[in-house]
Amino acid sequence: TQEEAAVALEKGNVNCIIFINNNFSKLLTDGNTSVIEIYGTKNSTYVEAVVNSYLNTYNLTISLLKNNLPVDQEIQDYKLERGQLNSKGVFPNSLDYYSVQTLLQILMICSVFGVSIILRDINGGLSIRINSLPVKKYQLIIGRLIGCILYSFIAAFVSILFSKYVFKANWDGNLLIISSTILLFVIIVVGIGVLLALITKSNTTSFGIIALLSFILPASVGAFSPKTTVEAIAILSPNYYAKNIIMGSLFDFPNKVIVQGYIGLVIMVVIVYGLIFFFEGRRKYANI
């Protein structure tokens, strides 16, 4: 009965109730109005959407019948899902979603380390002394890259531990997958900084471009709202692939999604560092 359902709702045994009078169909057939009542404590929007879809389909069918038009009787198998349930029975919530997105957005700023790798010697007047040492340019860059990447990687895990134990965000995924994804991601973003420095030869221009990228690329993959996702731009962003891998690990996405994410990150590593070697090979020092 409606009273029993109300008690179950109050006790938390159910989330929503749809109440339809037993004379609902007869009232409609006779041309009268009838009411479908929806009560809910959560997920009511999903239930509302289902009911509205049913009513719209019913109204359309009646209109077709009244106008002697054919009605498609084929029954479609529809299924409504709420997010992705992982093997531990945990649903993703907004905190889980934005903890991943925010981490990746913050790590984009690590591109400034890559800029400093190239420009601090030139602008600081250290080029002559450094290039007089028995150290090749690529060895110097690789050494600094490793330092910047490790620093960014450690900072990322400090942030993860903070969000996990202070804000209770879900980071209970495969540690190897999450670690390797973050490592590939910081390798890419630091490399982007190096590439910008080699091309622009300017701190101001490089930092300006990084600021734009740190806003545009995360926004295109839904960092501010899932509705802001722009697929055409997202596929060019390392955030897109890293987000899919990490969320896939946390909430048991299909292996295909994770594999595609890794392929995307690896391709970006190859492209970014291929361009770095190209432009670094063409860099010359006028004062040497």
Side-chain angles (χ1 to χ4, degrees), residues 15 44 70 109 121 134 147 248 267:
N15 293 333
S44 57
I109 302 175
D121 294 341
I267 290 174

Side-chain angles (χ1 to χ4, degrees), residues 153-194:
F153 182 77
I154 293 171
F157 267 88
V158 170
S159 177
I160 288 174
L161 291 174
F162 185 83
S163 63
K164 176 179 175 65
Y165 293 105
V166 176
F167 295 110
K168 308 303 179 183
N170 178 23
W171 284 98
D172 296 330
N174 185 297
L175 182 60
L176 179 60
I177 291 177
I178 294 174
S179 302
S180 59
T181 302
I182 292 175
L183 181 60
L184 284 171
F185 186 80
V186 295
I187 288 173
I188 292 170
V189 296
V190 173
I192 289 173
V194 172

Side-chain angles (χ1 to χ4, degrees), residues 15 31 43 59 110 114 116 125 149 161 181 205 212 215 223 249 256 275:
N15 293 333
N43 299 335
N59 292 333
C110 293
S116 67
I149 289 169
L161 291 174
T181 302
T205 304
L212 287 175
F215 175 81
S249 172
K256 179 181 178 181
L275 291 172

